[in-house]
Amino acid sequence: MRFDRRSFIKSTAAFAVAAPAVFRITKVQGAEFSMKYANNTAATHPLSIRTKEAIEAIAKETGGKVDIQQFTNSQLGTDTDMLSQLRSGALEFFTLSPLILSTLVPKASINGIGFAWSGYDKVWPAMDGELGAYVRGEIAKSGLFAFDKIYDNGFRQITSSTRPIKTAEDLNGFKIRVPPSPLWTSMFKAFDSAPASINFSEVYSALQTKVVEGQENPLAIIQSGKLYEVQKYLSMTNHMWDGFWFLANAKNWNSLPKEVQTVIQKHFNDHAIKERQDIANLNATLQKELVEKGLQIVDANPASFRAKLASAGFYKEWKEKYGAEPWALLEKYAGSIS
Ligand code: X2X
């Protein structure tokens, strides 16, 4: 990861051969720390836009000494692949849904409990407060480091190409793509759906080829991933809230000088706040835009979904899985859940 251009030139000057292609000469003059950041969202999604701005601000503040290359849109592989790369240290930074992260850090998915949140006024105090701190503590035990401010993915909505999803009954037997995470699979099994775990990079083609009938994602992902091209109905269920932790490989991170860490952390945290505002702004306009792109809005009945989860024993099961302490933290902010 660390790459001092001057010492590289010195150490190779003795050889009359060109540097092998595998050595990437940093593009920023004088960069001392060359690193990579990857994600799964399109370059037009606020997560990609704001992290790009953060990277530019970091380069500027460090006078070009910190050069972070951005790879959006699953260019480095699926979320599952990128998580492995992050763990091995091949990738230094990665933003990932806490629910997918739960394949490594089981309690990380707690924010994704169905219908836990009535709105952002509950989500941000929790994630910036004790619930987020608890989860970051769990993440730290796994060789990863999570920055303080989680980026927003959003409240998730269900789309379908076959039938409108209005009530929990409509989900019966519904072939739905879910991201790879035990909580997602469990939730849609509780709805008696047929969930299929598929990484985001394969969702568009899975919908297009009708491997699945539908999927669920926040409006900004439906828009930036052009899922409206291969879906017909949009049900505003707001069934769970999801974010993106900004993650670092802890070993790489700890090898950076303190002052470099401070600058990197500051800008990625500050831009998370801006990204949250972008998503809030988009939420106000995207329904209309998606209708113009051809989606039909379905008037969904969230109460029926929540009742189905309760009667299927979903809340009881997950409360036991997480344990009393994190569940109490969740309820402290979200209110009572059952
Ligand atoms: O995979 C998804 O659906 C996405 C883009 O929302 C996540 O990263 C969890």
Side-chain angles (χ1 to χ4, degrees):
M1 167 198 54
R2 293 175 69 160
F3 190 76
D4 182 324
R5 194 165 174 271
R6 265 161 303 161
S7 59
F8 175 74
I9 290 168
K10 260 189 259 152
S11 67
T12 52
F15 302 94
V17 293
V22 289
F23 285 110
R24 188 175 66 81
I25 306 275
T26 52
K27 59 177 189 294
V28 180
Q29 273 291 327
E32 285 174 18
F33 304 99
S34 181
M35 293 170 273
K36 294 186 287 306
Y37 158 69
N39 73 26
N40 67 2
T41 57
T44 54
H45 187 280
L47 174 69
S48 299
I49 294 171
R50 292 299 186 181
T51 51
K52 184 163 184 259
E53 287 176 7
I55 287 168
E56 288 161 1
I58 291 162
K60 193 162 171 233
E61 191 172 337
T62 61
K65 286 200 165 46
V66 177
D67 171 29
I68 302 173
Q69 253 199 306
Q70 190 200 49
F71 297 87
T72 60
N73 209 16
S74 304
Q75 286 173 65
L76 296 189
T78 66
D79 278 331
T80 309
D81 296 332
M82 290 187 280
L83 181 58
S84 303
Q85 291 162 19
L86 183 77
R87 292 183 70 191
S88 75
L91 178 63
E92 287 83 11
F93 302 116
F94 175 38
T95 38
L96 181 64
S97 158
L99 279 79
I100 302 178
L101 180 59
S102 77
T103 56
L104 175 67
V105 182
K107 294 184 204 277
S109 63
I110 190 159
N111 65 265
I113 286 293
F115 302 99
W117 307 103
S118 57
Y120 281 111
D121 58 328
K122 302 268 167 61
V123 168
W124 299 131
M127 300 312 291
D128 291 339
E130 288 169 77
L131 185 66
Y134 171 83
V135 171
R136 288 196 302 279
E138 292 293 304
I139 294 171
K141 294 180 195 162
S142 71
L144 302 180
F145 173 69
F147 288 9
D148 284 350
K149 300 292 180 193
I150 192 167
Y151 283 70
D152 193 14
N153 188 354
F155 279 89
R156 301 182 75 97
Q157 323 295 351
I158 298 176
T159 65
S160 158
S161 64
T162 51
R163 60 177 192 249
I165 305 295
K166 281 189 186 150
T167 65
E169 259 165 48
D170 296 322
L171 282 175
N172 199 326
F174 187 62
K175 279 194 274 173
I176 184 166
R177 172 271 173 169
V178 291
S181 163
L183 180 63
W184 253 303
T185 303
S186 159
M187 182 163 155
F188 281 89
K189 280 193 173 151
F191 286 133
D192 297 318
S193 307
S197 287
I198 298 174
N199 272 293
F200 186 66
S201 53
E202 283 137 25
V203 168
Y204 185 98
S205 70
L207 294 169
Q208 190 174 38
T209 57
K210 303 259 162 62
V211 168
V212 288
E213 298 171 83
Q215 64 85 46
E216 46 80 64
N217 247 306
L219 297 180
I221 294 279
I222 296 169
Q223 157 71 16
S224 60
K226 297 189 162 62
L227 303 185
Y228 51 81
E229 292 178 353
V230 286
Q231 295 283 272
K232 198 160 156 195
Y233 303 104
L234 168 63
S235 301
M236 296 297 293
T237 52
N238 291 301
H239 56 273
M240 61 161 74
W241 177 78
D242 189 24
F244 295 107
W245 283 118
F246 197 97
L247 302 170
N249 171 292
K251 205 162 160 244
N252 286 346
W253 178 251
N254 292 331
S255 76
L256 293 170
K258 273 276 164 306
E259 60 279 15
V260 169
Q261 288 180 348
T262 304
V263 175
I264 293 176
Q265 224 167 333
K266 180 183 76 183
H267 288 293
F268 283 119
N269 282 332
D270 288 354
H271 283 78
I273 305 301
K274 294 183 181 176
E275 190 263 4
R276 293 176 187 179
Q277 190 56 51
D278 295 338
I279 298 284
N281 296 345
L282 282 173
N283 282 339
T285 58
L286 275 184
Q287 268 195 56
K288 188 166 164 272
E289 206 178 312
L290 289 168
V291 168
E292 283 161 14
K293 302 265 189 208
L295 283 185
Q296 230 170 286
I297 307 267
V298 179
D299 193 13
N301 173 0
S304 83
F305 294 89
R306 187 168 182 156
K308 174 75 184 178
L309 289 183
S311 70
F314 173 81
Y315 295 112
K316 190 170 169 287
E317 179 188 335
W318 283 91
K319 185 178 176 174
E320 275 164 26
K321 279 200 177 127
Y322 291 121
E325 189 203 342
W327 193 267
L329 284 177
L330 174 64
E331 288 193 322
K332 176 176 170 180
Y333 293 96
S336 150
I337 299 164
S338 58

